[in-house]
Amino acid sequence: MKLKHYELGKLEQEKLIKGIQASLAVPFIDSVEDYVWEAIFCYFKGIELVDVLSSTRKKYLFDVVDEKNRIGWS
């Protein structure tokens, strides 16, 4: 049984690499963790990222939630 939500397609792999490279190019980001990782994950999965400066985060069991496909990741 294949779980398509847990495998990265070629485009997702490329976007993951670009996201990590972009984040590490910012001088004050020294590692990919916490909110930086969540932002990259949302980018390559095509999920809307919650802007913590302008909106309130909902309490979810997972850090990143794809409401459309009803799947979450931590």
Side-chain angles (χ1 to χ4, degrees):
M1 179 171 124
K2 284 194 150 195
L3 300 172
K4 68 178 183 171
H5 294 292
Y6 296 102
E7 296 178 359
L8 299 181
K10 181 141 179 76
L11 180 60
E12 286 180 327
Q13 291 174 15
E14 292 170 3
K15 289 176 84 173
L16 171 60
I17 292 168
K18 286 169 101 176
I20 291 172
Q21 289 173 335
S23 69
L24 294 177
V26 177
F28 56 85
I29 295 177
D30 62 349
S31 66
V32 177
E33 58 186 335
D34 300 325
Y35 190 74
V36 173
W37 171 249
E38 290 175 26
I40 294 169
F41 193 89
C42 287
Y43 166 68
F44 77 80
K45 280 297 202 179
I47 302 168
E48 186 177 343
L49 178 65
V50 175
D51 182 356
V52 295
L53 298 175
S54 65
S55 62
T56 304
R57 292 179 102 176
K58 296 177 185 174
K59 286 290 189 182
Y60 286 120
L61 177 61
F62 302 102
D63 296 320
V64 176
V65 176
D66 179 353
E67 292 183 14
K68 178 183 171 196
N69 293 309
R70 301 186 61 137
I71 189 166
W73 298 269
S74 284

